[in-house]
Amino acid sequence: MKQRILLLFTVFSLIACKREPKISSSDWTSISSRTQFKEHDGALELKSGNFTYNFNKNQTPFKKIILLNASMAGYISALGAENLIIGVSSPEYIYSEKILNLLKEGKIQNVGSEQKYDVEKIISMKPDAIFTNHIASFDNTYELLKSNGIQVIFLDEYMEQQPLEKTAYIKLFGEFLGKEKEAEAKYQEVEKNYNELKQMALKAKEKPVVLANEMYGNVWYLPGGNTSVAHYIADANASYILKDNKDEKALTMSFEEVYAKTDGVQYWVNAGSHASKKEMLKMNAFYGKLDVFNKGKVYTIAGKEKQKANDFFESGVVRADLILKDCIKIFHPELLPDYQLTYMKELH
């Protein structure tokens, strides 16, 4: 669970996103600085982090895929392509009702967990492709799968710090699954909503000060000023306590270091997935020393949770607009009087 919550540090953003001009199919489509693809005469070329791939026109679109990360299910669901999934790992982290039903019906198989994948089962299923984040400790497993003719595709969507760049991965899945038009339409919809919401937030009269994330043991993982968390807060026209920092990762701080920065903080967001303030205090009595805990408002990302599954990490990877809308509703409720929070939840 800790690993999933740490992913949150990379789950919020946008710095003046402009619509790119339409590019011809022989040019590269840039999702972010780390991921680009090019489609030409039915063939597909992909650059993803340190990996490059070339797929001929007979290989795509894929008809049978396996997902080793629950977050990637969000892209597949947004394209209505759940029926192309034949296997997932750690199904307890899947939120999608449709995918869960396909698991119950046996149409999607459980292929293991982040601790150990069932390699023999995966090979016997003969998938067209496996989508996963690259984890160096699993290199032997990846090589075994590749040596059995299985295409393993590494994607870094969890590392993207710009919300709309994270959303843009839907374009890549559209290419892989033969749903290019649906993917482009969904991206354009989210982008339009996001930019309109960002403009709306500028109408607010106040710019509240915001604290984010929480402690694990003796360490507070405070999102850097160039993380998605910080970008969402800025785009919602609020002032993050580390807004002048340039880091794209979380900074590790003691409670005392964070406490020294919390003067005037009115909102605390991404405070884990606790059920109540009382529960938070049981986990860490230091929280009771914070003015924002006692007099301000505290929000978790537990608005759409069931057991271990949290839709913030699933549909939220696509719906940057709804995450921003939640932030605006929290910081400037007068701008969205009738909107109910989607992914976030106030603690009492």
Side-chain angles (χ1 to χ4, degrees):
M1 188 64 193
K2 182 175 177 181
Q3 182 185 355
R4 289 175 59 74
I5 293 299
L6 288 180
L7 285 182
L8 174 60
F9 304 154
T10 71
V11 146
F12 271 85
S13 96
L14 165 76
I15 301 178
C17 202
K18 297 177 182 174
R19 184 163 301 176
E20 295 178 5
K22 186 70 178 170
I23 44 187
S24 70
S25 61
S26 61
D27 290 333
W28 289 94
T29 296
S30 179
I31 287 176
S32 72
S33 60
R34 56 172 61 85
T35 306
Q36 301 91 34
F37 67 87
K38 178 167 68 173
E39 188 272 325
H40 188 57
D41 294 336
L44 181 63
E45 194 174 343
L46 167 66
K47 295 177 184 175
S48 178
N50 296 322
F51 301 93
T52 57
Y53 305 86
N54 287 281
F55 305 96
N56 64 45
K57 58 186 175 184
N58 297 322
Q59 286 178 281
T60 59
F62 299 135
K63 300 297 184 191
K64 298 192 300 179
I65 62 173
I66 289 177
L67 307 178
L68 299 185
N69 300 86
S71 63
M72 293 183 184
Y75 297 105
I76 310 302
S77 296
L79 293 172
E82 295 94 339
N83 61 314
L84 300 179
I85 304 170
I86 60 169
V88 296
S89 71
S90 303
E92 66 272 20
Y93 290 118
I94 298 280
Y95 187 88
S96 162
E97 202 66 46
K98 189 166 182 181
I99 293 175
L100 292 175
N101 285 335
L102 289 168
L103 274 157
K104 284 178 195 166
E105 294 166 13
K107 292 174 181 173
I108 294 177
Q109 300 294 313
N110 178 357
V111 297
S113 70
E114 290 172 354
Q115 280 68 50
K116 184 171 174 53
Y117 300 124
D118 189 335
V119 177
E120 288 183 7
K121 186 174 186 179
I122 292 172
I123 293 169
S124 71
M125 292 166 71
K126 295 183 169 59
D128 295 333
I130 292 174
F131 291 98
T132 183
N133 303 144
H134 179 258
I135 302 170
S137 58
F138 278 107
D139 276 342
N140 289 340
T141 301
Y142 302 143
E143 289 307 316
L144 184 56
L145 292 169
K146 289 177 191 175
S147 68
N148 279 273
I150 295 173
Q151 185 69 61
V152 182
I153 301 170
F154 301 116
L155 298 177
D156 294 331
E157 92 295 336
Y158 72 101
M159 293 177 69
E160 302 298 355
Q161 300 306 323
Q162 302 290 350
L164 289 179
E165 288 184 355
K166 190 185 291 283
T167 296
Y169 275 74
I170 196 169
K171 298 181 184 181
L172 183 54
F173 281 98
E175 289 286 335
F176 279 132
L177 306 180
K179 290 183 173 285
E180 297 92 336
K181 287 181 180 175
E182 296 93 323
E184 186 60 35
K186 176 56 75 174
Y187 176 78
Q188 296 290 354
E189 175 197 342
V190 173
E191 181 193 48
K192 180 174 182 287
N193 291 346
Y194 195 103
N195 289 329
E196 287 176 355
L197 285 162
K198 189 178 171 185
Q199 289 303 309
M200 175 201 286
L202 295 175
K203 297 175 183 173
K205 293 181 174 65
E206 311 249 323
K207 194 168 185 174
V209 183
V210 183
L211 170 68
N213 291 7
E214 62 167 342
M215 296 187 77
Y216 290 94
N218 296 320
V219 178
W220 196 307
Y221 292 90
L222 202 62
N226 206 19
T227 57
S228 52
V229 177
H231 289 312
Y232 271 122
I233 293 169
D235 289 344
N237 196 20
S239 181
Y240 176 46
I241 62 168
L242 284 190
K243 67 180 185 297
D244 297 325
N245 177 273
K246 302 301 180 192
D247 284 280
E248 284 196 355
K249 62 183 190 302
L251 308 182
T252 55
M253 294 190 181
S254 66
F255 175 80
E256 290 75 19
E257 287 175 302
V258 174
Y259 179 81
K261 298 177 183 299
T262 59
D263 189 40
V265 168
Q266 297 150 275
Y267 295 93
W268 179 359
V269 296
N270 301 6
S273 55
H274 303 285
S276 66
K277 284 186 171 182
K278 189 176 178 182
E279 183 189 293
M280 282 186 79
L281 276 182
K282 276 186 181 175
M283 285 192 67
N284 196 322
F286 282 134
Y287 292 154
K289 297 183 177 183
L290 295 169
D291 276 352
V292 66
F293 184 85
N294 298 307
K295 301 172 187 173
K297 287 180 175 284
V298 181
Y299 292 83
T300 70
I301 54 162
K304 291 185 77 177
E305 235 184 8
K306 39 190 185 191
Q307 282 92 44
K308 292 182 178 180
N310 188 333
D311 201 30
F312 179 91
F313 297 107
E314 196 167 309
S315 72
V317 299
V318 177
R319 297 307 303 267
D321 54 339
L322 291 181
I323 294 175
L324 179 61
K325 200 170 188 178
D326 274 8
C327 291
I328 295 171
K329 174 68 175 183
I330 289 168
F331 306 142
H332 311 294
E334 74 283 359
L335 295 180
L336 292 165
D338 301 321
Y339 174 66
Q340 300 296 313
L341 294 175
T342 300
Y343 299 110
M344 302 185 195
K345 186 177 181 181
E346 185 176 2
L347 284 190
H348 298 285

